[in-house]
Amino acid sequence: MDTERDVEDLIAEAAAAPVDGWGFDWLAGRAAEERPTWGYARLVADRMAHADAALDVDTGGGEVLAETPRPPRLLTATEAWPPNVEVARRTLRRVGATVVAVTPAAPLPFRDASFDLVVSRHPVHTDWTETARLLRPGGTFLSQQIGAGTMRELSEAMLGPLPPPNQRHPEQAVAAARAAGLRVVDLRQARLRAVFHDIGAVVWFLRKVIWTVPGFTVDRYRPQLRALHHRITTEGPFVAYAQRFLIEATHP
């Protein structure tokens, strides 16, 4: 039943829920997103098993790295968002990783050629020159990245029509990697269906994945949220599409 109390209760619940870390368990039963067929966590685990020194950039809460069954001798992770740093330190104790708090856009505090493996899942920004600096000769960079126009349908539900995206295209990543002196050995793309069953799931997602609607707050977007709630209750779940690409590059 589409009532004012229902929509406000759902919004308030989601607005109060914690969004620390990079897990999405809060959405269980309320929203779901397809996963790429390549299995990023499995690929990372395989690369880690053969690495000596590895770095996870933008580890979030360390959720993916913590799944590594055979961590390398030296395992380090970086995170720039302060609330996630402590979450990652707790999560990654079991794999013996050191979590380093860093400043966005600043050079990473490691010597040249420190790692034979660098990984990153959904980085905010990939500094390809810095990545090349950190890799040893023969080393590998493996990353699952957010593609151009991801969750565009949800962004437009809040912001209205948007121009075509001009960033996060896989071809741009390939060109930047090559310009930094790396050799791209694998590139895969996926368009993944995401389904939101209630407006609370939308609110929580927008609070967590902040680049979907920059500057999102419930108060600022309450009219759009109420309109989307009405759409969900009358037409069924809201569907958007996430764009992902996997890129693997090596240092000659």
Side-chain angles (χ1 to χ4, degrees):
M1 182 177 179
D2 184 9
T3 68
E4 182 174 343
R5 189 183 68 179
D6 289 336
V7 63
E8 292 301 332
D9 286 350
L10 288 166
I11 289 173
E13 178 192 14
V19 292
D20 293 347
W22 201 239
F24 287 78
D25 292 346
W26 194 88
L27 292 178
R30 308 180 72 157
E33 181 182 301
E34 293 178 317
R35 292 291 178 260
T37 57
W38 53 72
Y40 176 75
R42 175 179 52 80
L43 294 175
V44 168
D46 177 70
R47 303 301 190 277
M48 290 285 175
H50 299 90
D52 174 66
L55 171 67
D56 184 20
V57 177
D58 288 351
T59 195
E63 294 85 359
V64 174
L65 193 59
E67 297 179 23
T68 303
R70 289 184 290 170
R73 175 188 61 83
L74 176 66
L75 184 57
T76 306
T78 66
E79 177 56 34
W81 194 42
N84 275 351
V85 173
E86 291 307 316
V87 174
R89 284 173 176 159
R90 292 194 300 270
T91 303
L92 293 174
R93 282 179 190 143
R94 62 178 176 266
V95 291
T98 299
V99 178
V100 178
V102 296
T103 302
L108 295 177
F110 308 112
R111 294 191 299 270
D112 295 359
S114 291
F115 305 99
D116 54 335
L117 175 65
V118 177
V119 300
S120 189
R121 179 179 181 269
H122 302 173
V124 176
H125 168 72
T126 299
D127 186 330
W128 291 97
T129 300
E130 185 74 347
T131 300
R133 180 186 72 80
L134 295 175
L135 281 173
R136 298 169 179 171
T140 294
F141 175 67
L142 177 70
S143 180
Q144 179 174 295
Q145 307 230 346
I146 298 166
T150 193
M151 305 300 282
R152 182 182 181 90
E153 299 81 3
L154 182 54
S155 298
E156 291 192 332
M158 297 293 113
L159 300 168
L162 297 171
N166 58 12
Q167 296 180 340
R168 295 189 175 276
H169 292 281
E171 298 81 6
Q172 293 171 322
V174 169
R178 289 173 175 165
L182 300 176
R183 183 169 68 92
V184 176
V185 297
D186 194 7
L187 180 69
R188 310 183 210 179
Q189 301 179 53
R191 183 173 183 259
L192 308 166
R193 189 172 185 263
V195 180
F196 295 87
H197 294 281
D198 68 66
I199 198 62
V202 171
V203 169
W204 190 88
F205 182 89
L206 292 176
R207 291 179 58 226
K208 190 176 188 73
V209 188
I210 57 176
W211 51 81
T212 307
V213 178
F216 171 81
T217 66
V218 166
D219 288 342
R220 181 181 298 176
Y221 289 94
R222 193 176 299 275
Q224 294 92 327
L225 293 170
R226 292 178 65 86
L228 186 54
H229 169 76
H230 179 74
R231 176 175 169 181
I232 291 171
T233 56
T234 56
E235 301 178 14
F238 179 78
V239 177
Y241 290 88
Q243 311 292 335
R244 300 284 183 266
F245 65 92
L246 180 82
I247 185 166
E248 185 170 7
T250 60
H251 193 301

